[in-house]
Amino acid sequence: MPQREVIPIDQNWCFRQADSEALGFLPVAQFPTNVHLDLIHNKIIPDPFIGKNENDVQWVGEKAWIYRTTFALPHIEGRNAVLAFDGLDTYATVRLNGHQILETENMFIPERVDITKSLKSQGENVLEITFDSTFLIGKKIVEKHPDHRWGCFNGDPSRLAVRKAQYHYGWDWGPTLLSCGPWRPIWLELYRSCILDLYFTTEVEKSLESAEIIAKADVEGSAEEVQFEILLEGKSVDKNTARVFNGVATAAFKVEQPELWFPARYGKQPLYVLHASLFSRQTKCDSLSKRFGLRRVEVIQRTLDDAPGTTFFFEINNIPVFCGGCNWIPADSFIPRISPQKYRDWVKLAFNGNQVMIRVWGGGIYEQKAFYDACDEMGMLVWQDFLFACGNYPAHDEFLASVKREAIVNVKILRHHPSIVIWAGNNEDYQYREDMMLDYDPDDRDPRRWLNSNFPARYIYEKLLVDVTKELVPGIYYHFGSPFGGKNTRDPSVGDIHQWNVWHGTQEKYQNFDLLAGRFVSEFGMEGFPNIKTIDSYLPKGKDDSDRYPQSSTIDFHNKASGHERRIALYLVENIQYRFEPLEQFIYCTQLMQAECLAGAYRLWRRQWKGPGKEYCAGALVWQINDCWPVTSWAIVDCYLRPKLAYYVIKRELGPITIGMKRTAETTFADRYTRAYFKTAHKIEIWASNLSLDTRTVAVDLKAWDIITGKEIFFESLHTAFTLPPNRSIEIAKTNVPVSKNDTDEELRTVIAAYLVENGQQVARCVNWPEPLKYAHLQRPKQLSVKLSNGSTMVQISSEVPVKGVALEYSDDAVVWADNCIDVVPGEVVHVGVEGLGCTDEGKIGVRYLGL
């Protein structure tokens, strides 16, 4: 029996508008592809990322489009011929040689069609796919179901009716670009027998000393035997042979002393390979391999020693993990042009930023294989949402059937990835329900009644997806939604929360993030402008554009957040002195404000990871790491992979060992009958956090300087041998803000630095400033030194006065900084690693700081 042959159908593709033959068929830009990429390639539409061109291309999503190719018939040799469509976006009618072979209605469901009898035995086979307007179809579905309470936070409500990437309808960080097309590969498969799926369950014993693996292969055809083999680093670990029974072959393995897969910085990420070979009468006819990791995963929800509610933390191989990380949206509005290397670069940025978890947000896609492979290899934990976001979804029969198919097939595709440690039913749909006061009785446990309520999607989240995950990934925790927890989605004591009372909501001061904590904060954020090169890339005339200023209509157009002008202005004016010109300095000010905000959140919430029984906050995932187009948003890295300043400060706050400080001011009056006679005590709280698994012994040093003169006014070694217990934070001291003279308000001009020193090496550093920074009389340094050293791989920074937020810049994106946005104090030289500079480049390094 001949082996299965897989042939990509990726050549000779062309396309045209369905209702116009004026231009005829035009060549595609690439394959896989979508209609916007192809229209741009043929200069039919302008690049929608430039200027306000987005407005000029909206007609594209309201038209039908035809894609067409031809392929010759290979030698079949009596084999079955199957066309496999990995992804068609969204409503597609597929014809082969003029005969309809497939209709689709879900962007996320791969399809397989037996075309053995539809192929031409001679000449070219013609494959044609017509993509109807998902936008128009969604509108008609809404009209068909007038009794449903259609509504959502972002985009047109008709998006809820269709199974298409929801962010295509526009979000508060992304454009409205309703594309269509063959967005994932198409294959021609030839076989008599094949392995349709290879999958397994793994169970690692609590002792971690052994693991059981049950491997299965779903088989189509008459082949009767599957040989399974487990390999590690190319070496065989175990083998087993199983007969095919009712289309399934099953084999059991037990691995002693398994090589365990750990999250980044907690251990290694060994990846086993399960290889299956299909045989018919001792002749090999197909094979398939999948990588996997052996790890024990639990989400721990138990009572706390001295706080209400329950914990919500991830335990991997018996190790509680504080999940500092980020949220992920699709990295481009046009998914087919995201290369595997770009996926790897994005995940590498998160890894290099000391992050340990990425949440795949529910308004995007089930990501490409390259994304999850990179997470597996680098030890990035993945929180995976099902693809529902910010709305009240319907639950009529056709919709439920499509959602069930979608859930089953995508859980099957992704279930072997060790990085995925949680599935969640949706993003903020329960929050939308609360805001719209839709029906929800937590005591009603009858799923059929949920379908008759005005929040029928509860059936999807609490019944349908529960059943799917329970059957297919029984060892992975399923969460009804994000956020979801206690009495409501804003309950900080149970489950996870999205903390948007900084920026959205009540617009709290970001210095108070410690009062806004939750057991797991899966969203929070602050906006910051992108790199000036990114802004120049979307201004039609680049550096010479008349709209190259912060309040221009084009720059405002590239910020989709409602009320962004007021909110950026609010947090700027509350916190720092800033100016609009030059634009580069304004960008710096917004990025510094974003960095200060997010650093404070991580620092204060990590403080609440205090060890067993005191896991008050177990995770913080910033919204968001990335963008899908050039825009001002909450991203900490813009769409061209240019990190904002926040990226670097988060990297520091998620280091293995950190030290933190917070100022407090307590005013007491002489008695209850006066406001004239009072004293204000300015205190500084100091703590450390050790996320390593070893007890560490460090010295703790405290210094202080006068902001204006730069004079050192205080030094004390608080401890010479202070013990940091593993995997938790610990309080060090609460003391007065150092001053040279009491009762003179010197505290308001005092900068404080705290250091942890281990075996003579500084392992952690924190500089604390009087806030708000806008009140500080920052001095322009006269001796700010930036020097290359160590063979041009290190930059040394020093100054004679305290300098806030020193940002290093270079014109070439190939230059990579190990750190940035650094507070510099007198008498100290800060060393920053750098890649991509030569010995003559020192003078080309740009520097910005607050007060420049």
Side-chain angles (χ1 to χ4, degrees), residues 61-62 90-91 133-144 148-166 168-169 176 178 390-394 396 399:
E62 298 175 13
T90 293
Y91 284 87
S133 168
T134 302
F135 177 75
L136 297 181
I137 290 173
K139 288 288 191 181
K140 292 176 183 177
I141 294 173
V142 169
E143 292 173 356
K144 185 179 176 182
H148 180 65
R149 290 272 297 274
W150 300 95
C152 57
F153 286 147
N154 288 281
D156 189 274
S158 65
R159 70 175 173 82
L160 306 172
V162 296
R163 297 310 295 146
K164 176 177 176 59
Q166 301 287 269
H168 284 174
Y169 283 78
T176 301
L178 289 163
C390 299
N392 185 29
Y393 285 85
H396 51 268
F399 191 82

Side-chain angles (χ1 to χ4, degrees), residues 652 755 762 765 767 785-787 789 794-799 803 806 808 819-833:
R652 291 201 295 270
Y755 306 88
Q762 179 182 297
R765 171 185 186 267
V767 181
S785 173
V786 177
K787 294 183 178 181
S789 66
M794 191 74 68
V795 174
Q796 297 179 338
I797 311 171
S798 62
S799 173
V803 185
V806 174
L808 304 174
D819 200 359
N820 218 330
C821 194
I822 299 152
D823 295 341
V824 179
V825 291
E828 181 180 1
V829 177
V830 178
H831 296 81
V832 177

